[in-house]
Amino acid sequence: MSRRTWLRATGRAAVPIGAVALVFVVWGVLVRVLDVPRYVVPSPAATLNTLREDWPRLWGLTLTTTKECVIGFVVGAAVGFFLAVAMAQIRTIQRIAYPILIASQAIPIVAIAAPLVLVLGFGLAPKIVIVALIVFFPVVVNTLDGLNSVDRDLLNLARVMDGRALRVFLNIRLPATFTPLFSALKIGATYTVTGAVLGEWTATAGRGLGNYLLEQNARLNTAAVYGAVLLLTAIGIAGFLLISALERLATPWRTRSTARRVVRLRRRDTEGER
Amino acid sequence: MSADPSEGKLVIDGVRHAFDSTPALGTTSLSVRDGEFVSIVGPSGCGKSTLFNIVSGLLVPTEGRVLIEGRDVTGSTGHVGYMLQKDLLVPWRTVEGNIVMGAALTKGVGDADRAEARELADRYGLGEFIDHFPHALSGGMRQRVALMRTLAFHRDVMLLDEPFGALDSQTRFSMQQWLLDVWADLGRTIVFVTHDVDEAIFLAGRVLVMSPRPGRIAATIPVAIARPRSLESLTTPEFVRAKREILGLLYAGGPGTARPREATAP
Ligand SMILES: Nc1ncnc2c1ncn2[C@@H]1O[C@H](COP(=O)(O)OP(=O)(O)OP(=O)(O)O)[C@@H](O)[C@H]1O
Ligand SMILES: [Mg+2]
């Protein structure tokens, strides 16, 4: 990396980091100026201090919650994506699945969390299901939108060229889903944390950040509650950034004017040759 | 009216089309010789795109047949190259990827296809842009890529539906000259739809004028201007004569029935 690109990259990172720092400063100033008692809103320093003291325990809890988020996210996104593809290909599936889909979103997640625990137990499973339920809906809707967004004339052109169904799907319809799919994934990534915490609150026996949060709240240890919130937020932001990075890799045509040659040396479409 | 199926590379034999009960294309017969360049002009909505959709096999005509080299290909696809007014480049494929689209959708892209795409791009001035995505190209470049994609599909007969309709007049003229070069190089048979009478005459060996909807071929105007053609061709007496004749036919029905320059998607 040249000096200039390095400087540019740091410059780009500096703005969001600065913004986060600003939030902390404003928070600190407000707490001090308004003289808010520590058990109502702790200062940033007190919060970070609790985080440091409780870190050995918090680290494990963060891992557990992250795991719930990641697995639930992957399951929800995969189910949503494949369901959308199946719905777009086969009319009957679309007719059957659509009302169920809408119904699944109309059910308040909070309300089904408890019965889910009865069915799935207190382990990882109910949390994954709740996270997946939240992630999967935007994925289905956006993937369907992408599949249906393909210009009819482009599909006609593919027909004129005697395109084979599978190849037309892989080369034309599938890539059209990428942009809306990643929008859905970014929304989903930030929602996963809410799902995981909800799951942990219902299945009280678990050992995640959500449980810690409840426990500390009961003890009026507000600084610890805020610490847990910071960690949960960090998980959501990390997920969002990861998806954004993947998006840049998966859709180079949106951010770059040329494709990199190196990446294209061994492309998969070479294999289908007769 | 019916064309002799034995003559001509592309024969349109008594083709007529109606959408449900709305007539879109009147009975049309036409025979195009191997290596010929024919232009079609006609008022908006007279059925030019419908005719192309029938020839390309996208639409099955209500009546009539389409023959290529004497073979009945009515309603079957894959026999002609077809370029629509929209360039229809796929945004996620590079210039090369778009040129080899025909192969990608059928047998799969081989090294030979890629090499050919590169050669086409080199020969026709897009060599440096081979790895560019379409959004980084100008309108004229995009149309050239779309035409290369049609060329790389390797069909002798090519249907071009207002390919330069969206370009400014300067770019348009250089694209026309470029198209004539390509045609002279590769000797394909081209049927070219346009709303621009000058363009129709400049490119073609004959211009077919269609009547308003449901259109039929009202007249055939031969264009006896020597090739290769250049800027001077636009001011020859032959050009002016052909233009006067075509405009007369287009506006014969009075104003409002014919709008020669209006560009509408099919
Ligand atoms: N899919 C369709 N369903 C019903 N009517 C159609 C359809 N496609 C075209 N038409 C009608 O058929 C007629 C001919 O349409 P077509 O697109 O062939 O005209 P065109 O000569 O290409 O016009 P333009 O020069 O504006 O592109 C029009 O009146 C149009 O409204
Ligand atoms: Mg048209």
Side-chain angles (χ1 to χ4, degrees):
Chain A
M1 218 178 343
S2 83
R3 208 181 129 75
R4 263 189 59 205
T5 49
W6 195 85
L7 275 177
R8 247 210 327 263
T10 351
R12 255 206 311 267
V15 177
I17 291 174
V20 172
L22 187 69
V23 170
F24 276 84
V25 169
V26 171
W27 170 14
V29 168
L30 281 179
V31 166
R32 180 163 303 204
V33 169
L34 302 175
D35 200 17
V36 188
R38 192 193 152 111
Y39 58 87
V40 178
V41 180
S43 70
T47 305
L48 293 176
N49 215 19
T50 319
L51 267 185
R52 204 175 48 235
E53 275 165 16
D54 238 0
W55 188 245
R57 191 176 162 214
L58 280 171
W59 174 237
L61 302 179
T62 307
L63 279 186
T64 309
T65 303
T66 307
K67 193 163 119 194
E68 292 160 3
C69 287
V70 171
I71 299 179
F73 178 82
V74 171
V75 169
V79 170
F81 179 78
F82 287 112
L83 183 66
V85 169
M87 282 168 75
Q89 296 303 107
I90 302 159
R91 260 257 127 79
T92 324
I93 297 189
Q94 174 144 6
R95 272 202 215 111
I96 298 171
Y98 228 108
I100 300 179
L101 203 80
I102 307 290
S104 81
Q105 293 308 300
I107 302 172
I109 300 268
V110 195
I112 56 161
L116 262 183
V117 170
L118 287 182
V119 177
L120 299 169
F122 291 94
L124 206 56
K127 290 135 198 170
I128 289 174
V129 170
I130 289 171
V131 172
L133 261 179
I134 291 180
V135 172
F136 120 114
F137 188 68
V139 170
V140 176
V141 173
N142 280 23
T143 307
L144 266 180
D145 273 358
L147 290 170
N148 294 327
S149 73
V150 179
D151 192 331
R152 275 188 65 96
D153 281 331
L154 185 56
L155 294 173
N156 278 337
L157 183 70
R159 259 180 73 203
V160 168
M161 291 178 152
D162 261 350
R164 292 198 204 158
L166 182 63
R167 286 185 178 277
V168 173
F169 179 78
L170 292 178
N171 285 297
I172 294 182
R173 301 196 74 186
L174 193 63
T177 65
F178 287 4
T179 302
L181 174 64
F182 273 103
S183 302
L185 292 180
K186 282 189 279 190
I187 296 172
T190 51
Y191 280 173
T192 50
V193 185
T194 309
V197 168
L198 216 71
E200 288 173 8
W201 282 359
T202 323
T204 37
R207 275 164 292 114
L209 283 174
N211 305 115
Y212 175 87
L213 209 152
L214 274 193
E215 174 194 312
Q216 300 301 327
N217 198 42
R219 291 187 197 162
L220 281 186
N221 187 355
T222 321
V225 172
Y226 271 65
V229 170
L230 282 186
L231 287 176
L232 289 168
T233 312
I235 296 175
I237 292 175
F240 183 90
L241 292 178
L242 190 69
I243 301 296
S244 300
L246 278 178
E247 181 180 24
R248 288 176 76 89
L249 282 179
T251 59
W253 64 89
R254 296 182 58 213
T255 45
R256 305 172 51 86
S257 58
T258 61
R260 278 184 242 248
R261 268 277 157 193
V262 213
V263 192
R264 313 170 63 230
L265 279 179
R266 284 234 154 263
R267 270 225 312 245
R268 286 204 59 217
D269 30 0
T270 331
E271 294 164 12
E273 230 183 327
R274 262 201 293 239
Chain B
M1 193 168 41
S2 137
D4 178 3
S6 62
E7 70 179 90
K9 184 92 179 169
L10 165 68
V11 173
I12 295 165
D13 182 18
V15 163
R16 182 176 71 81
H17 194 76
F19 291 100
D20 299 321
S21 56
T22 320
L25 177 69
T27 308
T28 300
S29 291
L30 166 66
S31 174
V32 184
R33 285 188 316 277
D34 194 6
E36 203 183 351
F37 199 127
V38 178
S39 290
I40 299 180
V41 293
S44 189
C46 73
K48 303 179 295 293
S49 299
T50 304
L51 180 66
F52 273 11
N53 288 341
I54 290 170
V55 173
S56 64
L58 286 176
L59 262 182
V60 182
T62 311
E63 209 177 278
R65 301 183 302 161
V66 176
L67 300 116
I68 288 176
E69 289 173 340
R71 208 151 59 89
D72 191 335
V73 296
T74 319
S76 73
T77 51
H79 303 285
V80 298
Y82 187 4
M83 180 177 163
L84 291 93
Q85 180 175 1
K86 285 184 265 181
D87 57 59
L88 295 176
L89 297 183
V90 180
W92 46 85
R93 295 178 81 95
T94 60
V95 166
E96 179 191 280
N98 271 287
I99 296 177
V100 299
M101 198 66 176
L105 296 180
T106 51
K107 62 187 170 63
V109 181
D111 288 339
D113 300 301
R114 262 192 271 278
E116 189 204 5
R118 236 164 291 145
E119 203 213 300
L120 273 172
D122 277 339
R123 178 148 37 129
Y124 298 121
L126 283 177
E128 302 164 49
F129 295 94
I130 195 79
D131 288 327
H132 275 59
F133 290 113
H135 74 83
L137 304 178
S138 72
M141 288 165 144
R142 293 171 61 103
Q143 289 296 338
R144 265 187 282 172
V145 175
L147 192 69
M148 287 178 205
R149 177 185 59 197
T150 317
L151 291 171
F153 186 53
H154 295 290
R155 295 298 182 272
D156 292 343
V157 178
M158 302 204 325
L159 313 176
L160 310 183
D161 194 351
E162 291 189 61
F164 308 143
L167 304 178
D168 65 87
S169 63
Q170 265 166 311
T171 314
R172 181 187 273 245
F173 187 68
S174 65
M175 292 295 290
Q176 290 162 1
Q177 287 176 304
W178 176 74
L179 178 61
L180 285 182
D181 287 346
V182 174
W183 177 66
D185 275 1
L186 306 175
R188 306 279 176 94
T189 306
I190 297 182
V191 186
F192 190 99
V193 160
T194 176
H195 280 105
D196 181 335
V197 176
D198 287 10
E199 177 172 78
I201 303 170
F202 180 69
L203 293 172
R206 60 182 160 130
V207 178
L208 309 177
V209 183
M210 291 182 71
S211 58
R213 190 180 78 91
R216 51 179 75 229
I217 296 171
T220 302
I221 314 295
V223 182
I225 302 173
R227 294 186 191 274
R229 294 178 183 171
S230 63
L231 204 53
E232 280 80 62
S233 311
L234 293 172
T235 46
T236 57
E238 172 65 13
F239 187 96
V240 177
R241 182 199 61 76
K243 185 170 177 179
R244 187 179 306 129
E245 204 170 337
I246 295 167
L247 288 176
L249 284 158
L250 283 176
Y251 290 108
T257 51
R259 281 164 292 162
R261 278 296 299 269
E262 187 181 285
T264 320

